[in-house]
Amino acid sequence: MSTRWGILATGGIAHAFARDLALLPDAELVAVGSRTQATAEAFGEEFAIPHRHGSYQALVEDPDVDAVYVSTPHPGHHDAALMAIAAGKAVLVEKPFAMDAAEAREMVDAARAAGTLLVEAMWTRFLPHIARIREILAAGTLGEIVYLTAEHGQWFANDPQFRLFAPSLGGGALLDLGIYPVSFAHFVLGTPAKITAVSRAAFTGVDATTSMILQYGSGAQAILTTSLAAASANPAAIYGTEARLEIDGWFYTPTTFRVVSRDGTVLERYDVPHEGHGLRHEAAEVGRCLQAGLTESPLLPLEETLAIMGTLDEVRRQIGLDYSALAP
Ligand SMILES: NC(=O)c1ccc[n+]([C@@H]2O[C@H](COP(=O)([O-])OP(=O)(O)OC[C@H]3O[C@@H](n4cnc5c(N)ncnc54)[C@H](OP(=O)(O)O)[C@@H]3O)[C@@H](O)[C@H]2O)c1
């Protein structure tokens, strides 16, 4: 059975999601909701979407929608998700899932009480190369994991109106870009026992460049950096006692990787062509979970989403990034 999607908010990533959804069999884009009717009409026109709603409330109440994709700026995720859950919809919420762990907990509690499906749209987690890396980690090919590195740096011109610089829109590198390395570390090593973070602020007070060292009960370490002031090649690597796994940039998008033994032998080359952006894999997972009657995805359980939000909270505490104290 096809999953009938409604897109909530019509910004940059909503466009990418709509385009990629068109490549997915068993998915139909039936509705869009925007803060204004005119924007809903324009987006609906662009993607031939039959139902166009001039409010988020009207979208979540659309009886033809099975699953809602929440793609507002971060501070809107909590309220939009709660609205969709209250209407009984399955919800896929863009990253970061919420502004902090407390908001995230409310969303998870509401979905559990309603018995509805809730998934964090950390699209990387559902990509084909990550599925293969999951198998390699489970097989123990790398030996004991000693450390990993991951970075996400992009350069943006200083613009106080731009979402990434605006405190009122949850700006800063950490929540928008840094969440990819953080989520990757959680994927490989679980919840850290100790976090150490340093940061330099942008001109609006949000974080511009943030580096983190995560330490684990196993003794492993994760070394992570994010920046909105420098363009990185965005690689990641996992180093084990037997072999290392080198993911080419950009590690969190569809890409290639190698497994190299400690004597330098290439044990595996992953180089599978990928069509489209890659956002559809998270939508496919929502469809699969709905069909199977699941209320969360086993590939990214809600407790892990909460743990990731907890790590981000601790980093923000250490670097002194308090949105309520910054001018909007
Ligand atoms: N997975 C990915 O690769 C990826 C990439 C980029 C962004 N994201 C995430 O997706 C979310 C949206 O990012 P984006 O780049 O699409 O943002 P964007 O281009 O600024 O669009 C956000 C949309 O949210 C709605 N909105 C609601 N309240 C708003 C407000 N106060 N100010 C501005 N817009 C508001 C607007 O749609 P209406 O006017 O229709 O209501 C707007 O078009 C963020 O949480 C971000 O982290 C994910």
Side-chain angles (χ1 to χ4, degrees), residues 192 194-198 211-215 221-224:
K194 187 170 181 223
I195 296 167
T196 309
V198 295
S211 294
M212 301 154 268
I213 298 178
L214 278 42
Q215 292 168 263
Q221 301 167 6
I223 299 98
L224 317 173

Side-chain angles (χ1 to χ4, degrees), residues 1-5 21 24-30 64-67 283-284 286-288 290-291:
M1 214 175 70
S2 185
T3 305
R4 299 170 303 171
W5 282 92
L21 206 58
L24 189 65
D26 303 332
E28 245 180 297
L29 182 46
V30 299
D64 287 341
V65 169
D66 303 315
V286 166
R288 191 188 73 79
L290 274 175
Q291 292 300 317

Side-chain angles (χ1 to χ4, degrees), residues 42-100:
F43 192 91
E45 216 38 55
E46 188 175 346
F47 295 102
I49 304 170
H51 302 204
R52 302 156 189 186
H53 302 286
S55 75
Y56 298 156
Q57 188 70 48
L59 172 79
V60 302
E61 285 172 0
D62 187 328
D64 287 341
V65 169
D66 303 315
V68 170
Y69 170 62
V70 172
S71 63
T72 65
H74 329 327
H77 293 178
H78 168 265
D79 288 4
L82 289 183
M83 194 189 280
I85 291 164
K89 305 299 189 201
V91 194
L92 175 65
V93 185
E94 258 307 340
K95 41 58 59 176
F97 189 69
M99 285 301 289
D100 56 33

Side-chain angles (χ1 to χ4, degrees), residues 228-264:
L228 47 65
S232 164
N234 297 321
I238 309 168
Y239 297 88
T241 50
E242 300 300 321
R244 66 178 183 271
L245 193 155
E246 307 167 335
I247 313 178
D248 297 314
W250 293 17
F251 82 87
Y252 67 90
T253 72
T255 186
T256 50
F257 70 79
R258 287 161 306 287
V259 180
V260 183
S261 75
R262 60 167 188 253
D263 68 7

